[in-house]
Amino acid sequence: MSVVSASERPEPVESDGDSRPHLVLCGADALVYTLAEELANSRHRIRITVITPHRVRSDVPDLAGLADRGVTWHKADRLDERAFQDAGLAGAAALALVMPDDMINLHAALCAREVEERLRVVVRMSSRGLARSVDRLFPDCAVLSDAEMAAPAFVAAALGEVAPTHFRRADRTLYVAHRADVPPRRVVLTLTVTDEQGEVSVLPAEPEPDWMLPTDLVLAEAVGRPPGEDVTRKLLTRAGRRRSPLTTFGRAVRAALSRKLGLAVLITLATTVVAGAVLNGFDDKRHGFWEQIYITLLTAVGSSDVQEGQDPIAQAAQLVLTIAGLALIPLITAAVVDGMVNARLALSQGRLAGELRDHVVLVGLGTVGTQVMRQLHDLGIRVVAIDRNSNAVGVKAAANRQIPVIVGDAADEATLRAAAIDTCRALVVLSTNDPINLEAALRARSSHENLRVVLRLFDDDFAQRVETAFQINTSRSVSRLCAPVFAAALLERDVHATIPVDRHAVMVATVTVAAGSNLDGAPLEHADHPGEARVLGMSAADQEWIDWRPDPRRVLAAGDRILVVARRSGLRALSELAI
């Protein structure tokens, strides 16, 4: 293994006559290590070079441990032409840009094009706008979102599924379901059919609905439940927990009495009364109890006059009284305003805590959390989101779907209660900070022992140990979930998801038609092979829009992209037809 610095101006990597394909990986978090490990453990004979900054996340394992598996490690703080030349990108078969920053990946893609034009590029992108820009830079390019790939696993864990049974593509969520559970208009593709002898056929030609058993599996479109009063009323009826007006009003009154402001007002009032009593005690005139209160309050609001020749104690008391009076009115105003705001929040949160049941509490609205939220909503699952940042990535998306967002610390018991943690079906913690995620999960589990908890951790080994030690239902590493798909894309397999079907696993992938290939000029039906590969949709060249019900007689052209559900052998055969 060679560990060098870009500042030391090393000599470019030479192939030494090595005919194995050369792959270059660039990253700064756990994904680059997991991807390198995935490729190093594969059966393909390849050479791997990894480029990282000098400083990477602390949870990234030591890449030096992969040296015995043929992984070369370079360090460069800037991914420019010189860094790529030093790493031997010229003549490489593929480049993976998996830095966590979209702009860094875009800049690196532009620099890589200057070093090697004929290069397969796999880019990690969360912004769809930038993804389309990168896609135009190279004739052979795959743009992947780790958030979109990881989200199905977290959703499946939250719903108690053994494995992900749904995926999202082009603003559409598709899921696996039994035929009896899906309206016919929502069925997209048949995955399995069982014959009279009990034999299961995977990816068959579309049968007549009457020939299918209720237990046969289909791929269906998830459309979610539109929010509204009717849905809320049904949820309340099922939950049987409609709160009385008095209970709701009491919650609002308690929230309106802010502890800090209440103490400030009480202390100020007490100081005012004591100072007024002292001042009246030094007055020659003897006043009754009511008159003392009257004079004290009147003085407090600014009606006092300076009295010369008074006793120093009396003057001091008058000074304190005047200052206290100046503070009293703003404090009362602040208390009223704060009380009104808290009362409104309490009324809103009271409806959440009182009316929600069987929902999912989602902590963290970053890129992964936003994707999970969208897919849960598409699947018709009620969601309450929590994030410490009111400007988090997914806050706007939540507002568009009328999903309530609580701004606060998920490790705080009050925040969890506001999200109706007592009646939820699962807690999914997906922030980008491992300690915060673990603290929130353990706090919720300590209060609710039977709560299903799904936890995101960056370190896969740590995630497995936490799952065992703390009895967390599921802990996942995003890098471990996504690395196989990035590896498949580097090896020219544009795979988006893997779905378990019966005892088999089928892949959702895109096959691009190359000029002069067997599919160039052929009808779309030539790409459909029942039992091996089924066409799910297609996009014309230079178009992002997917036709989910394409005409099988449509003639394919170079650049057209076919979205298929296929077995491994079927995808391999279809890829050979397309090149």
Side-chain angles (χ1 to χ4, degrees), residues 100-380:
D101 188 293
D102 285 1
M103 295 304 297
I104 292 178
N105 287 334
L106 177 58
H107 177 264
L110 293 171
C111 293
R113 186 177 61 173
E114 299 298 324
V115 177
E116 178 59 63
E117 292 185 3
R118 296 182 178 182
L119 182 71
R120 176 166 179 78
V121 180
V122 177
V123 187
R124 173 187 186 181
M125 282 279 171
S126 58
S127 170
R128 293 184 179 179
L130 288 177
R132 287 192 292 270
S133 299
V134 174
D135 201 24
R136 299 188 188 100
L137 294 177
F138 293 88
D140 190 7
C141 180
V143 182
L144 303 176
S145 167
D146 55 332
E148 290 184 0
M149 287 185 287
F154 288 108
V155 172
L159 302 181
E161 299 173 357
V162 177
T165 57
H166 70 279
F167 68 96
R168 187 174 178 85
R169 188 71 179 164
D171 293 326
R172 208 182 205 198
T173 295
L174 302 179
Y175 69 103
V176 178
H178 292 293
R179 176 66 184 83
D181 298 333
V182 180
R185 66 180 182 280
R186 298 299 177 195
V187 175
V188 178
L189 186 77
T190 300
L191 294 175
T192 65
V193 170
T194 306
D195 60 21
E196 297 178 354
Q197 288 74 35
E199 294 292 330
V200 177
S201 300
V202 178
L203 298 178
E206 288 300 318
E208 294 294 331
D210 295 341
W211 295 355
M212 294 186 65
L213 297 178
T215 55
D216 286 334
L217 297 179
V218 297
L219 195 61
E221 179 186 10
V223 294
R225 290 176 297 192
E229 292 298 325
D230 292 339
V231 174
T232 302
R233 190 175 297 112
K234 291 178 181 178
L235 287 172
L236 290 174
T237 301
R238 287 199 298 267
R241 295 188 60 184
R242 193 186 297 271
R243 290 190 177 269
S244 66
L246 290 177
T247 302
T248 304
F249 178 75
R251 181 187 294 272
V253 171
R254 289 195 300 272
L257 301 178
S258 171
R259 179 178 297 179
K260 293 181 179 179
L261 275 175
L263 288 175
V265 172
L266 289 176
I267 292 173
T268 306
L269 283 174
T271 304
T272 303
V273 172
V274 172
V278 172
L279 180 62
N280 284 326
F282 283 92
D283 198 341
D284 294 335
K285 298 180 181 180
R286 296 297 177 184
H287 301 289
F289 179 72
W290 164 249
E291 289 180 331
Q292 290 184 9
I293 295 177
Y294 173 74
I295 294 173
T296 298
L297 293 179
L298 192 63
T299 303
V301 295
S303 298
S304 61
D305 296 323
V306 176
Q307 298 292 332
E308 297 182 1
Q310 285 278 15
D311 186 277
I313 298 178
Q315 289 179 338
Q318 186 181 28
L319 180 61
V320 172
L321 179 62
T322 303
I323 296 175
L326 293 175
L328 181 61
I329 294 177
L331 277 173
I332 292 177
T333 303
V336 171
V337 173
D338 185 68
M340 293 177 63
V341 172
N342 285 340
R344 293 182 63 183
L345 288 174
L347 288 172
S348 174
Q349 292 182 358
R351 284 193 290 270
L352 282 178
E355 297 176 359
L356 280 179
R357 181 180 291 274
D358 202 33
H359 60 291
V360 172
V361 177
L362 174 64
V363 178
L365 287 177
T367 54
V368 176
T370 301
Q371 287 295 331
V372 171
M373 177 191 67
R374 288 171 176 165
Q375 294 188 15
L376 286 170
H377 181 265
D378 287 348
L379 292 170

Side-chain angles (χ1 to χ4, degrees), residues 12-20 22 47 88 90-91:
V13 173
E14 299 293 342
S15 64
D16 296 328
D18 195 337
S19 61
R20 293 177 300 167
H22 183 205
R47 292 187 297 121

Side-chain angles (χ1 to χ4, degrees), residues 34 70 79 85 95 121 227 401 403 407 463 471 481 490 512 527-528 533:
T34 313
L79 295 175
Q85 289 170 353
L95 168 68
V121 180
R401 291 165 174 78
I403 294 174
V407 179
Q471 297 181 345
L481 292 169
L490 278 171
T512 302
D528 197 88

Side-chain angles (χ1 to χ4, degrees), residues 513-523 526-527 556 573-579:
V513 178
S517 66
N518 290 331
L519 289 182
D520 187 8
H526 282 193
L556 296 170
L574 189 59
S575 298
E576 292 174 356
L577 290 175
I579 59 176

